[in-house]
Amino acid sequence: MNIGILALQGAFLEHQKILTKMGLNSSLVKETSDLDKIEGIILPGGESTSMRLISQRKKLWSELKLRLNLGLPAFGTCAGAILLSKSIVEEDTETLGLIDVQVKRNAYGRQVDSFDDFIDLKFSPEKAYLAIFIRAPRFEKIGPQVELLAEHQNQPVLLREKNVIISSFHPELTDDLRIHSYFIDIIKNKGR
Ligand code: GLN
């Protein structure tokens, strides 16, 4: 299995380190042709506007959107989650639109308002999970097909629709591999 990581900007190397730790092959996705060799893709945290503009300039955006619509599994963290959501509150910018969620950028405030806290993962409730929030978005207006995988203070922070998961926090910045493992299981079970 080879997992792609969108590597235009942001925390892509942190995701790659986690996959390596799990004994998995991964490759950095910078060009359209890089999409040919992957079975799933991670969209990292960083700046969603920069990632969108760079990938649009490289034509990677439209090709990625096509593959995602054909069922390529995707995991978006923070800025990556913003890109995968259906729409952005008070912004008219295009997204990849894979998960029926309206997202509010920087909903928790500025960089200094970043925080970490324990959450419970519905698919792994035996131990609390330390989630790191950095200028996190908030998931609002969630469609009926979307499954809640974790919340923090009654706000959804980890969601799934079909082969797509999004987190408003940064699983790549912890040593806890459970969310990445969950995504790998989605790829393995795809189409079953
Ligand atoms: N605030 C950033 C954005 O809107 C996301 C922050 C992050 O990925 N840590 O793109």
Side-chain angles (χ1 to χ4, degrees), residues 72-88:
L72 179 72
F75 174 18
T77 62
C78 204
I82 295 168
L83 294 174
L84 287 170
S85 294
K86 196 168 167 187
S87 61
I88 304 174

Side-chain angles (χ1 to χ4, degrees), residues 67-136:
R67 311 264 176 136
L68 292 169
N69 278 303
L70 290 171
L72 179 72
F75 174 18
T77 62
C78 204
I82 295 168
L83 294 174
L84 287 170
S85 294
K86 196 168 167 187
S87 61
I88 304 174
V89 175
E90 284 163 18
E91 271 188 49
D92 197 17
T93 38
E94 191 192 347
T95 61
L96 295 165
L98 261 289
I99 182 159
D100 191 3
V101 168
Q102 195 177 34
V103 65
K104 187 167 170 47
R105 292 177 66 193
N106 304 317
Y108 293 86
R110 298 164 40 168
Q111 190 76 15
V112 290
D113 303 308
S114 299
F115 62 99
D116 57 29
D117 205 357
F118 287 100
I119 59 172
D120 290 320
L121 304 175
K122 304 246 187 244
F123 53 86
S124 181
E126 65 284 353
K127 188 171 135 230
Y129 178 95
L130 185 64
I132 300 173
F133 296 85
I134 303 169
R135 284 188 309 124

Side-chain angles (χ1 to χ4, degrees), residues 96-186:
L96 295 165
L98 261 289
I99 182 159
D100 191 3
V101 168
Q102 195 177 34
V103 65
K104 187 167 170 47
R105 292 177 66 193
N106 304 317
Y108 293 86
R110 298 164 40 168
Q111 190 76 15
V112 290
D113 303 308
S114 299
F115 62 99
D116 57 29
D117 205 357
F118 287 100
I119 59 172
D120 290 320
L121 304 175
K122 304 246 187 244
F123 53 86
S124 181
E126 65 284 353
K127 188 171 135 230
Y129 178 95
L130 185 64
I132 300 173
F133 296 85
I134 303 169
R135 284 188 309 124
R138 183 171 288 146
F139 303 139
E140 304 181 344
K141 284 197 193 160
I142 293 157
Q145 310 296 328
V146 179
E147 190 186 344
L148 177 70
L149 299 179
E151 53 192 346
H152 176 258
Q153 294 179 353
N154 295 322
Q155 296 289 337
V157 293
L158 181 63
L159 295 169
R160 173 177 183 178
E161 182 170 352
K162 298 195 190 102
N163 293 328
V164 177
I165 56 174
I166 57 172
S167 68
S168 57
F169 55 92
H170 288 267
E172 75 281 15
L173 300 182
T174 60
D175 291 328
D176 196 325
L177 309 176
R178 282 180 285 168
I179 302 180
H180 284 81
S181 300
Y182 182 82
F183 178 54
I184 302 308
D185 286 344
I186 292 180

